[in-house]
Amino acid sequence: MVGIRKKVLVTYNMFRPGYSELIKKYDVTFPPEGKESFSYDEVLDMISEYDALQSMFNFPVDKQLIDAAPKLKIISNYAVGYDNIDISYATKKGIQVTNTPDPVTEPTADQAMGLILSVCRRISELDRRLRIPGAVKVELLGNLGLSLYGKTIGIIGMGRIGQALARRALSSGMKVMYHNRRRLEPAIENLYNATFLSLDELLMRSDIVSVNAPFSKETYHLIGERELGLMKSQAVLINTARGPLVDEKALIEALKGKKIWGAGLDVFEFGDYPSPELLEMDNVVMNPHTGTQTIDVRHEMAAYVSRNIINFFEGNGPVAKVNLK
């Protein structure tokens, strides 16, 4: 007798090729054609029948949803971050939570490096000005930016993405300093010729400060008015992690007062869009959380969340566990 196939609910209508193996093995429910995603209320109504939930990084998986899911065994999150999920309650209920650390590492580091170049060399700003007749011209001293070669990058959060960024910074001739919850092993430090510093010392000594730490209660407003005040007047702040790691109001004031040179932001504190003041600043480069938005990575992430579910149920391979390790 053939066993009942497990049921998997996918909250967002993603590319299908990455889910091909999952679809072969289980009953997988996607939003219907033409519908971008299921709403929270729709998932709440449906979840009681499902063994696995494949959530997106912006889909809340809270106590109410978990309580409505008596069959749920795994939440496979489509992101490296998982602050959208009530991890402690999922753990209490014995539900495995997983994430996708491998596929997002290199593209997020690419994004950070791109923002660094764009802010320092004023690429986005001057591109905009060139499109306005008479707004900019070729001159010796009018369009000055900052060089990267010989400068110091301070990486806050030297995990996978932080180390991938360090590799790129080294290839640009930069010196690497970092701050982490725990100091890295000497062998890893030697790979990047990286110097471990306290947060305050890193902020005071760095020309580029890149925020790559995970978001938690402890890291909320990790960079605020005091920390921005420690940075050099020609320093650049980059955030490709989570918006609330940086006090956006304090950042606006620091940029207005020219306390720092500029900022490159892929995420924002108050949702998906930046504060209006940031939109008026030429020394800020912004993207709408596109750190992992390449066609290749979207396919890779779909395959990764699928493998997490399959390997969890079948025990035949690795699972990127966030809890219940």
Side-chain angles (χ1 to χ4, degrees), residues 163-221:
Q163 290 180 41
L165 177 58
R167 208 169 59 241
R168 288 160 173 76
L170 280 177
S171 69
S172 296
M174 302 184 74
K175 301 169 187 174
V176 177
M177 297 179 179
Y178 77 98
H179 175 74
N180 224 31
R181 285 176 294 180
R182 290 179 294 274
R183 185 169 182 171
L184 300 174
E185 295 294 325
I188 299 177
E189 288 186 341
N190 291 339
L191 281 175
Y192 311 107
N193 194 24
T195 302
F196 177 72
L197 296 175
S198 69
L199 179 58
D200 284 2
E201 192 171 2
L202 178 144
L203 293 169
M204 289 187 285
R205 294 175 58 180
S206 299
D207 301 296
I208 310 291
V209 174
S210 179
V211 181
N212 299 97
F215 178 62
S216 66
K217 291 180 181 178
E218 291 72 30
T219 58
Y220 173 74
H221 281 189

Side-chain angles (χ1 to χ4, degrees), residues 7-311:
K7 298 184 70 175
V8 181
L9 180 60
V10 180
T11 63
Y12 198 93
N13 220 339
M14 299 300 297
F15 300 139
R16 293 295 189 274
Y19 291 98
S20 58
E21 188 177 1
L22 191 70
I23 292 168
K24 287 177 186 176
K25 291 178 176 289
Y26 307 128
D27 288 335
V28 183
T29 301
F30 293 92
E33 186 176 350
K35 184 179 176 68
E36 185 179 70
S37 62
F38 287 125
S39 69
Y40 176 88
D41 287 340
E42 287 172 327
V43 173
L44 188 65
D45 288 340
M46 300 164 64
I47 195 63
S48 63
E49 300 299 318
Y50 288 86
D51 305 282
L53 174 66
Q54 195 268 278
S55 53
M56 306 305 295
F57 65 86
N58 58 352
F59 185 89
V61 185
D62 57 12
K63 184 178 183 294
Q64 179 181 224
L65 192 71
I66 292 170
D67 280 341
K71 295 183 179 181
L72 193 64
K73 298 294 186 293
I74 180 172
I75 302 165
S76 184
N77 208 40
Y78 189 102
V80 65
Y82 41 83
D83 49 288
N84 58 307
I85 300 170
D86 189 331
I87 298 296
S88 61
Y89 196 67
T91 302
K92 181 180 178 181
K93 291 290 187 176
I95 299 171
Q96 181 68 69
V97 179
T98 65
N99 65 344
T100 60
D102 293 342
V104 306
T105 299
E106 299 300 331
T108 306
D110 282 345
Q111 184 81 347
M113 198 67 199
L115 288 170
I116 291 169
L117 282 165
S118 189
V119 176
C120 289
R121 298 307 306 271
R122 301 172 62 186
I123 293 171
S124 296
E125 174 197 350
L126 294 175
D127 173 80
R128 290 192 302 271
R129 290 180 181 277
L130 274 171
R131 298 168 191 271
I132 303 171
V136 69
K137 61 182 179 179
V138 176
E139 51 184 319
L140 293 176
L141 299 177
N143 304 314
L144 296 177
L146 302 173
S147 297
L148 299 188
Y149 187 84
K151 297 294 176 61
T152 296
I153 186 170
I155 299 174
I156 303 172
M158 193 71 159
R160 294 168 183 256
I161 295 170
Q163 290 180 41
L165 177 58
R167 208 169 59 241
R168 288 160 173 76
L170 280 177
S171 69
S172 296
M174 302 184 74
K175 301 169 187 174
V176 177
M177 297 179 179
Y178 77 98
H179 175 74
N180 224 31
R181 285 176 294 180
R182 290 179 294 274
R183 185 169 182 171
L184 300 174
E185 295 294 325
I188 299 177
E189 288 186 341
N190 291 339
L191 281 175
Y192 311 107
N193 194 24
T195 302
F196 177 72
L197 296 175
S198 69
L199 179 58
D200 284 2
E201 192 171 2
L202 178 144
L203 293 169
M204 289 187 285
R205 294 175 58 180
S206 299
D207 301 296
I208 310 291
V209 174
S210 179
V211 181
N212 299 97
F215 178 62
S216 66
K217 291 180 181 178
E218 291 72 30
T219 58
Y220 173 74
H221 281 189
L222 182 67
I223 303 297
E225 181 181 0
R226 188 189 74 85
E227 289 76 21
L228 290 161
L230 295 174
M231 293 172 62
K232 297 178 180 180
S233 60
Q234 287 195 338
V236 169
L237 179 70
I238 304 294
N239 186 8
T240 55
R242 286 290 187 266
L245 290 167
V246 176
D247 181 339
E248 196 162 293
K249 292 180 179 178
L251 175 61
I252 289 167
E253 292 306 311
L255 291 164
K256 279 183 178 178
K258 300 190 182 302
K259 294 177 182 177
I260 62 173
W261 170 273
L265 308 172
D266 191 48
V267 288
F268 311 102
E269 181 176 359
F270 306 110
D272 294 332
Y273 299 97
S275 299
E277 295 93 329
L278 291 172
L279 298 173
E280 304 300 321
M281 296 180 178
D282 283 330
N283 58 342
V284 182
V285 177
M286 295 169 286
N287 277 175
H289 202 175
T290 56
T292 61
Q293 288 201 33
T294 73
I295 295 170
D296 308 291
V297 170
R298 286 293 180 248
H299 285 296
E300 289 171 19
M301 290 178 73
Y304 203 97
V305 293
S306 297
R307 285 195 300 272
N308 275 336
I309 293 170
I310 294 167
N311 292 344

